[in-house]
Amino acid sequence: MTYEQLFRQAMGLPADTAPFPYQVRLAQGPWPDLLDAPTGIGKTAAITLAWIFKRRVQADPDTPRRLIWCLPMRVLVEQTAQVIHQWLARLDLAGDPGCGRVSVHLLMGGVEDTRSWAEHPEEDMILIGTQDLLLSRALMRGYGMSRYQWPVHFAFLHADALWVLDEIQLMGAALPTSAQLEAFRRDPRHPVARPTRTLWVSATLNRDWLATVDFRAHLPGLRRAALDADERALPAVSARIHACKALAPANAALTAATAKDYPHQLAREILAAHAGAGTTLVILNQVERAQALVRALEKTTAAPPLLLLHARFRPAERRRIEARLNDCPSAPGRIVIATQAIEAGVDMTSATLFTELAPWSSLVQRFGRCNRYGECDPHDGAQIRWIDITDEQLMLPYAPDDLAHARGKLAALDSAAPADLPPTDQPAPWYPVLRRRDFLELFDTDPDLSGFDVDISEYIRDHDRPPLLVFWRDFTAEPTDQPLPGRAELCPISLGQASRLKGRECWRWDSLGRRWIRLDWPPRPGMTLLLRASAGGYDERLGFVHDSRAPVPTLPPPAILTEAYDDDRRSIGPRAVTLPDHLAHVALAAAALADRLAEPAAPKLVRAGRWHDVGKAHGVFQQTMVDCPEMAGPAVDNAATLPVLWAKSCCATLRRHQRKYFRHELASALAWLANHDGEPDADLIAYLIAAHHGKVRMRLRALPDEQAPPSGQRYARGVWEGDRLPALHFDGEAIPETALQLALMELGEGPQGPSWTARTQALLAAHGPFRLAWWEALVRLADWRASRAEQADASASEPAPGAAAAAGPAAGPADRPAAATRPEQMTLDLPTTPRSEP
């Protein structure tokens, strides 16, 4: 299949239609680093279809298997996913993760987006999200997700990934952060596990915006793709570049004196200019002003159909807006009121455009939403009116100097046709820059002693900081039994908007206490807050409205349990599994996954997988496993007269451990070091064992409210110094009874040699954050896959007499729960994707 054929099939175009030449070059040549193309000529299709062609037709080894669309605004992220899914469906490539096809995933917060895509790193997939959610995960501080999943998302976003940052002029502080991350990935001190690259895209691209302290040296070597003179002369392109757009200042202006009557004054001018047969688009700089304008227009006697579009809606309401926007792109007589969220990723046009003054690069994008395809009458053309703002307090979220620069350009123009617009020549604004040391410190995911995390918001968005997520539930007193929210419930708001909720009841999730606790003001970036539905704060028509007291219609919560620090929910299921069997299963899954990925570190990953749950032999864990009627029965293997040790319980409900915050993976790592410390790669394997739930990683210390042992010995994460694990035989290995030591939680050298912190910091320095997180994620993924296969494999039945005993201490066939499995009986539920090279 040629690229031209693929393009026509994906787009549903007739055989005589050809892609633009720049789209062909993008598919057939090496990937550029910069793409400079006017609005309205198919940049999303160009990049996505080029990626599909390179991956699925050419099998290009230089094209990463994960395409990541990073958008500056949340609005219409779902629409972008829908369009891409349609292209894949027409090509017969669309599929769910795990089936070897191309899956599309939205990263928008909520419990739904944390596992499905991350479980299949060997498959081609497309990820779509905002700069807030994607970059926070790329910085190991993922907004709107469990902190214990941060390392997995970090690993796969920095390995085998093509980042596409669209409309970079809108990204603010995220733009230099993206450049710094690319610099770190190119730094030989931080080797990546798989090649990863970045493509910066804009219609107003200025290469110097990427000149950060660590990426500046790479600027001369960047490849730039753009339309040449011949392409600009093509009729389809020329019609867009020379589309007639008359430009003039509006009569309405936003000043301190006019602010109160501004919505009504602007509404009157909009109605007077509105062309009955076309769409009028109004772009305002603040959500509250857009909502006020809608209210003002609704009060008029003959208000046309209105559509409000901004980022402060829940997905359910946002989808209805998208449907109305897409059902009839040229709906006669409608007025669309939007914020700057419409500047990126929204394929719409209008006959009349009103826009508040904004930075020049943003204005260019807004002008591109008027007479976008040259569809208006060439004589009458389209009308654009810009609204001046003179009061500095009203200029937010933009800087006065940026608006003054734009005002100066507008004063000399009477046409906004792309061919008539001057280039973007402003230098990059000053933003905080993420330095190498800051980035490495983020690899440690433990909160500080106050329970909070490093604030990364200044590296992600420069105005009003990145959003929080809020959702509403009905409950009476305290939300003790409320599960974590699903994606459909979440509404993003800014810190400024959240500050207006002060005085209302708000709750945040406490992962240590496994409960919702009242928010101790102020909120922090990235938090997810639970609000009482009866207290208001949201309107399905207007979105988040802080002063609304009308009850909020709630949405059904997901049927997914919340996750706490001492949570071991993955240790229960329909089938009980013995510990030796599970260790063998995970080693097998790690070997299969490493083979699929041609991973050179396979032996280390397999060894870590084989040892990862040895700590489940601890008495605290075993007591939890059998503390239910479903696990009743003799506690000794009749054949071997050894204790029955379980990795998975078939208890209907798993009770909490007798010791608060008990982590079996710490016991596993301590047992490994007790038997193998000093061997090659012993520290690396110990780290991979300890980190396989994301809860014991770079530091080792007791947690608040943790139970202290009565004898005063060291303790951490529910493990007490001197605890003993029984002798164990498993998957070809044998360990004697082992006493667990915790001297390595102390600083400096001790009886166990270097401290845990010294060991993990040495690993980070030796392997870098990208590769270390990659290995960590693969071991976790092997555990997930083996655990799922143990529960799903219908062919797994009780083992033959004495078989489990041969593998080590395990239950006998007659007295164990009947669903236990053996390695040779289990069919691993692994994807059928062919083995790939690095």
Side-chain angles (χ1 to χ4, degrees):
M1 175 183 284
T2 67
Y3 173 73
E4 289 80 1
Q5 291 171 329
L6 181 144
F7 182 90
R8 284 191 289 267
Q9 183 176 333
M11 302 293 289
L13 298 173
D16 59 350
T17 305
F20 290 125
Y22 91 93
Q23 294 173 322
V24 177
R25 291 197 301 272
L26 200 61
Q28 296 181 344
W31 283 108
D33 303 292
L34 310 169
L35 176 58
D36 187 354
T39 59
I41 63 165
K43 294 191 293 289
T44 303
I47 295 168
T48 303
L49 296 181
W51 177 83
I52 293 172
F53 182 73
K54 289 171 182 283
R55 285 293 307 172
R56 308 299 290 198
V57 177
Q58 293 185 321
D60 176 23
D62 295 326
T63 295
R65 57 167 42 93
R66 275 177 289 282
L67 174 63
I68 303 174
W69 275 101
C70 182
L71 306 175
M73 303 292 181
R74 187 183 181 96
V75 166
L76 300 190
V77 165
E78 289 175 301
Q79 183 190 50
T80 303
Q82 182 181 5
V83 170
I84 291 176
H85 188 82
Q86 289 174 352
W87 297 337
L88 290 168
R90 291 184 185 130
L91 294 168
D92 194 27
L93 290 174
D96 294 327
C99 67
R101 300 175 78 80
V102 181
S103 54
V104 180
H105 304 267
L106 294 177
L107 274 63
M108 297 178 64
V111 293
E112 296 96 331
D113 75 10
T114 58
R115 285 286 295 275
S116 60
W117 73 269
E119 290 183 341
H120 302 279
E122 72 272 52
E123 290 193 345
D124 293 346
M125 61 181 59
I126 300 174
L127 310 179
I128 307 169
T130 64
Q131 65 189 59
D132 306 298
L133 293 187
L134 282 169
L135 285 178
S136 66
R137 298 177 193 206
L139 294 177
M140 197 76 89
R141 290 298 182 277
Y143 292 164
M145 64 177 293
S146 167
R147 65 184 310 112
Y148 309 124
Q149 298 292 332
W150 289 350
V152 177
H153 286 217
F154 174 91
F156 296 149
L157 291 176
H158 287 294
D160 220 347
L162 170 59
W163 281 76
V164 180
L165 287 96
D166 195 16
E167 307 297 4
I168 62 173
Q169 75 284 348
L170 304 177
M171 288 190 161
L175 183 56
T177 299
S178 71
Q180 285 293 97
L181 288 175
E182 181 65 18
F184 299 153
R185 288 191 293 262
R186 296 185 181 197
D187 190 331
R189 292 173 296 180
H190 313 131
V192 293
R194 295 291 187 275
T196 295
R197 60 182 309 121
T198 304
L199 173 57
W200 290 277
V201 181
S202 177
T204 55
L205 199 150
N206 186 335
R207 190 191 69 169
D208 292 339
W209 291 345
L210 302 175
T212 60
V213 60
D214 292 299
F215 196 63
R216 185 178 294 112
H218 298 284
L219 292 186
L222 296 184
R223 289 195 295 264
R224 184 177 190 137
L227 276 69
D228 58 29
D230 291 339
E231 286 178 273
R232 291 178 175 271
L234 293 172
V237 178
S238 180
R240 291 161 169 79
I241 294 176
H242 297 282
C244 182
K245 307 178 188 185
L247 180 66
N251 294 324
L254 182 56
T255 67
T258 64
K260 185 175 182 180
D261 191 51
Y262 173 70
H264 302 281
Q265 181 186 2
L266 182 57
R268 290 191 291 270
E269 185 172 355
I270 289 169
L271 291 173
H274 178 57
T279 294
T280 293
L281 173 61
V282 185
I283 305 178
L284 305 181
N285 297 343
Q286 293 185 3
V287 171
E288 290 81 0
R289 290 207 288 265
Q291 292 170 333
L293 178 60
V294 169
R295 292 190 178 108
L297 286 167
E298 287 177 336
K299 291 179 181 178
T300 61
T301 56
L306 301 176
L307 185 62
L308 176 62
L309 182 65
H310 59 73
R312 309 309 184 204
F313 281 104
R314 296 184 301 194
E317 288 75 37
R318 190 169 59 251
R319 280 192 290 269
R320 287 199 288 268
I321 294 170
E322 293 171 11
R324 290 178 60 193
L325 195 65
N326 296 328
D327 284 347
C328 189
S330 301
R334 73 178 176 183
I335 298 178
V336 178
I337 299 97
T339 62
Q340 57 268 45
I342 206 169
E343 296 173 23
V346 182
D347 189 10
M348 72 163 292
T349 187
S350 61
T352 304
L353 169 67
F354 282 81
T355 174
E356 289 184 336
L357 186 64
W360 181 247
S361 58
S362 292
L363 288 176
V364 172
Q365 293 297 320
R366 297 182 187 190
F367 297 161
R369 269 65 188 172
C370 181
N371 199 11
R372 185 173 179 83
Y373 309 106
E375 71 280 359
C376 293
D377 184 277
H379 301 291
D380 297 334
Q383 304 293 321
I384 298 178
R385 300 187 184 182
W386 60 276
I387 306 162
D388 201 6
I389 306 175
T390 58
D391 186 273
E392 289 192 6
Q393 292 300 316
L394 300 172
M395 292 180 181
L396 295 174
Y398 301 120
D401 289 347
D402 292 339
L403 298 195
H405 180 81
R407 188 184 296 112
K409 288 183 178 292
L410 288 169
L413 295 172
D414 58 10
S415 169
D420 297 329
L421 297 178
T424 301
D425 53 5
Q426 266 191 295
W430 290 97
Y431 296 118
V433 174
L434 180 72
R435 300 305 305 270
R436 177 175 177 270
R437 179 178 177 181
D438 303 323
F439 179 62
L440 294 177
E441 288 177 353
L442 291 172
F443 196 80
D444 183 356
T445 54
D446 275 355
D448 60 28
L449 294 175
S450 65
F452 291 107
D453 295 295
V454 176
D455 183 3
I456 60 168
S457 60
E458 64 180 359
Y459 303 127
I460 292 180
R461 197 177 289 278
D462 57 309
H463 54 78
D464 215 0
R465 294 300 173 88
L468 296 87
L469 298 171
V470 296
F471 68 105
W472 291 262
R473 294 269 176 82
D474 282 318
F475 51 90
T476 52
E478 293 290 319
T480 52
D481 299 324
Q482 295 295 325
L484 288 174
R487 179 189 300 160
E489 300 178 88
L490 294 172
C491 176
I493 64 173
S494 67
L495 279 177
Q497 291 166 322
S499 66
R500 298 172 187 173
L501 293 172
K502 192 166 187 179
R504 298 194 190 189
E505 295 176 300
C506 301
W507 290 265
R508 67 175 180 88
W509 178 249
D510 175 20
S511 58
L512 285 179
R514 191 155 60 175
R515 60 195 174 101
W516 291 98
I517 61 175
R518 288 181 179 267
L519 176 66
D520 183 14
W521 285 82
R524 296 170 65 92
M527 278 185 172
T528 298
L529 301 180
L530 167 60
L531 307 176
R532 196 184 296 275
S534 60
Y538 187 85
D539 183 287
E540 290 179 300
R541 182 176 50 91
L542 299 174
F544 178 81
V545 185
H546 70 90
D547 57 357
S548 171
R549 297 294 174 176
V552 178
T554 59
L555 300 172
I560 300 177
L561 299 174
T562 53
E563 183 175 11
Y565 184 83
D566 56 356
D567 201 340
D568 269 313
R569 77 182 66 169
R570 296 192 184 93
S571 296
I572 62 171
R575 295 171 175 169
V577 183
T578 63
L579 180 56
D581 287 354
H582 179 63
L583 297 176
H585 297 165
V586 175
L588 181 63
L593 180 59
D595 182 66
R596 295 268 169 80
L597 294 167
E599 172 54 52
K604 304 166 194 175
L605 305 185
V606 173
R607 196 82 187 275
R610 185 175 293 122
W611 274 78
H612 80 292
D613 271 354
V614 165
K616 285 186 174 181
H618 195 289
V620 169
F621 189 89
Q622 289 301 309
Q623 181 180 8
T624 306
M625 289 290 96
V626 300
D627 191 13
C628 68
E630 295 86 352
M631 292 291 290
V636 174
D637 185 325
N638 294 337
T641 64
L642 292 172
V644 179
L645 297 177
W646 298 103
K648 309 287 182 181
S649 168
C650 62
C651 290
T653 302
L654 191 65
R655 303 178 188 275
R656 301 187 75 169
H657 295 306
Q658 184 182 39
R659 291 186 193 169
K660 197 172 185 179
Y661 306 138
F662 176 79
R663 295 311 313 168
H664 65 270
E665 62 268 33
L666 173 58
S668 301
L670 295 176
W672 163 263
L673 288 175
N675 289 276
H676 296 284
D677 198 10
E679 296 179 4
D681 297 313
D683 286 345
L684 174 60
I685 294 173
Y687 173 80
L688 298 178
I689 293 169
H692 82 268
H693 283 293
K695 298 177 180 181
V696 181
R697 299 185 67 248
M698 301 297 289
R699 284 183 283 169
L700 184 57
R701 67 185 183 205
L703 296 176
D705 304 324
E706 187 169 344
Q707 177 185 353
S711 301
Q713 67 264 44
R714 299 181 184 95
Y715 65 98
R717 320 296 169 103
V719 177
W720 296 354
E721 191 162 51
D723 285 348
R724 306 187 77 84
L725 299 187
L728 185 62
H729 296 259
F730 57 97
D731 199 29
E733 300 213 29
I735 59 172
E737 182 182 27
T738 301
L740 304 181
Q741 302 298 320
L742 281 167
L744 46 64
M745 67 183 292
E746 306 285 353
L747 296 178
E749 293 276 340
Q752 292 178 270
S755 69
W756 180 260
T757 299
R759 294 170 190 243
T760 57
Q761 288 296 328
L763 290 172
L764 183 61
H767 302 292
F770 305 123
R771 188 172 291 177
L772 189 58
W774 169 260
W775 292 332
E776 178 181 346
L778 294 185
V779 172
R780 291 185 70 173
L781 183 52
D783 186 24
W784 296 349
R785 291 186 175 184
S787 298
R788 181 173 59 235
E790 287 166 346
Q791 303 303 324
D793 183 15
S795 67
S797 58
E798 27 176 330
D815 46 33
R816 74 174 69 197
T821 58
R822 295 179 59 214
E824 56 267 38
Q825 292 176 316
M826 185 185 73
T827 302
L828 280 175
D829 180 21
L830 296 174
T832 57
T833 309
R835 171 175 172 152
S836 60
E837 298 303 321

